[in-house]
Amino acid sequence: MSSVLYDTPGPRAKRRNVLLSVVFTVLLALVLWWVWQTMDDKGQLKWSLWEPFTTSEAWTTYLLPGLGDTLKAAAISMVIALPLGAVFGIARMSEHAWVRGVAGTVVEFFRAIPVLLLMLFANEFYVRSTDVSSEQRPLYAVVTGLVLYNASVLAEIVRAGILSLPKGQTEAAYAVGLRKGQTMTSVLLPQAVTAMLPAIVSQLVVIVKDTALGGVMLGFTELLNSRSTLAANYANVIPSFIVVGIIYIILNFLLTSFAGWLEQRLRRSKKSTGAVLGEDTVEVNPAAVGGTFGTGGEGGGPSGFTFTDKPPR
């Protein structure tokens, strides 16, 4: 099937694609074999290094508590960053220059600073200016850094999603008498959510992975930090990295799969039913029509027609 962006490959193109696929498969198999052989030569495939992951102690003592802290920090950051990013994204499109200026300054400032630096600054702030306990301080610092950085990124995603909609949507909303706030909440945002969802989910995946920065620099007991303790006790550094990497892959795959399902559901809910209005669905007011089509006033449309709740035949 051909389209504007894609042409059906011919016989030569098909042969070339098959050849490239075979070459790529062979190279991938060779790389995997080399990795396997290297690990085997270094003794990293010995059963004694992998055996701890078959017992409950490694999971209940190290990995599951670390995974719980990772999900906790990521969930709190998402809940705060999403609405905050939406507010700043909408504020950047305000008609008031001072609102646009303040929102733009905040967004560009925090978007330009590395998230790790924000975490370190937040940790020092909590140490010197608050009474947060030393046990809770790493969580507070990680969440603060993630919220400040990701809210500014999400603000740009929201702004880009709204600006990507056709201008006719806004003009139609104003034509029926909606105010700017009503247009934003009732017309633009609901449509932009579907377009923004892939980018938002990508940023949420980044939030989950960036919790590891708090474990490295602040001693936050997230999944990667708990792995280091497990590896120190069982002397299985490489296997522990592999297991934790697989956990991250599964976690982010579930998140993206849920987002894909949600996006399809939103698209289906916005589709029209395709029902055709029948004659008994429209009632004509003869007094208003006067035997001909009225002009309907300044709008120039037909008058004297009212819609009923009767289903189409």
Side-chain angles (χ1 to χ4, degrees):
M1 177 181 293
S2 299
S3 67
V4 176
L5 301 178
Y6 177 78
D7 290 330
T8 303
R12 294 180 58 186
K14 288 181 179 179
R15 289 195 297 268
R16 183 177 64 251
N17 292 341
V18 171
L19 178 62
L20 292 176
S21 299
V22 171
V23 171
F24 174 78
T25 303
V26 172
L27 291 177
L28 180 61
L30 290 175
V31 170
L32 293 177
W33 177 81
W34 175 78
V35 171
W36 179 275
Q37 286 296 116
T38 302
M39 293 182 62
D40 189 30
D41 294 341
K42 298 296 183 180
Q44 295 298 323
L45 297 181
K46 293 189 298 184
W47 174 246
S48 59
L49 299 179
W50 297 89
E51 185 178 8
F53 299 108
T54 63
T55 63
S56 60
E57 181 181 359
W59 293 93
T60 58
T61 305
Y62 303 104
L63 296 180
L64 291 182
L67 178 60
D69 285 343
T70 293
L71 295 177
K72 180 180 179 181
I76 296 174
S77 301
M78 292 176 189
V79 170
I80 300 175
L82 279 173
L84 192 62
V87 169
F88 276 100
I90 295 172
R92 293 204 68 178
M93 297 182 293
S94 174
E95 296 177 349
H96 305 286
W98 68 271
V99 175
R100 293 197 309 271
V102 171
T105 301
V106 172
V107 169
E108 294 300 331
F109 177 80
F110 287 110
R111 196 159 63 105
I113 300 178
V115 63
L116 179 58
L117 191 59
L118 291 174
M119 291 181 184
L120 295 174
F121 270 114
N123 186 67
E124 288 299 318
F125 171 78
Y126 289 125
V127 169
R128 302 175 185 275
S129 304
T130 66
D131 296 328
V132 179
S133 63
S134 57
E135 292 80 9
Q136 295 294 324
R137 193 181 303 131
L139 174 63
Y140 278 56
V142 168
V143 170
T144 302
L146 290 176
V147 168
L148 293 177
Y149 178 78
N150 290 281
S152 61
V153 176
L154 289 169
E156 288 299 284
I157 294 176
V158 170
R159 186 171 72 96
I162 294 174
L163 292 177
S164 67
L165 297 175
K167 292 184 178 180
Q169 300 289 333
T170 303
E171 295 170 354
Y174 289 159
V176 298
L178 295 181
R179 296 188 296 272
K180 184 177 179 62
Q182 294 174 321
T183 301
M184 183 63 68
T185 57
S186 301
V187 178
L188 299 181
L189 274 180
Q191 296 184 76
V193 165
T194 305
M196 294 185 299
L197 199 56
I200 291 177
V201 172
S202 299
Q203 201 59 34
L204 297 183
V205 170
V206 171
I207 291 177
V208 173
K209 294 187 295 184
D210 281 351
T211 56
L213 296 174
V216 174
M217 298 300 297
L218 303 176
F220 178 52
T221 56
E222 44 74 49
L223 182 59
L224 195 60
N225 183 278
S226 300
R227 181 222 60 84
S228 63
T229 307
L230 181 146
N233 289 334
Y234 293 102
N236 56 352
V237 177
I238 299 299
S240 65
F241 273 123
I242 294 175
V243 171
V244 169
I246 293 173
I247 293 175
Y248 274 115
I249 291 173
I250 294 174
L251 183 62
N252 292 323
F253 175 76
L254 292 175
L255 184 60
T256 53
S257 299
F258 171 75
W261 171 83
L262 181 61
E263 182 180 5
Q264 292 179 359
R265 185 177 178 86
L266 290 175
R267 291 186 184 278
R268 286 197 302 267
S269 65
K270 292 178 181 179
K271 288 182 179 179
S272 172
T273 60
V276 180
L277 297 178
E279 296 177 357
D280 54 355
T281 312
V282 181
E283 292 182 353
V284 181
N285 185 350
V289 177
T292 59
F293 285 96
T295 59
E298 296 180 359
S303 64
F305 292 87
T306 57
F307 290 92
T308 67
D309 295 332
K310 298 178 182 179
R313 293 183 297 179

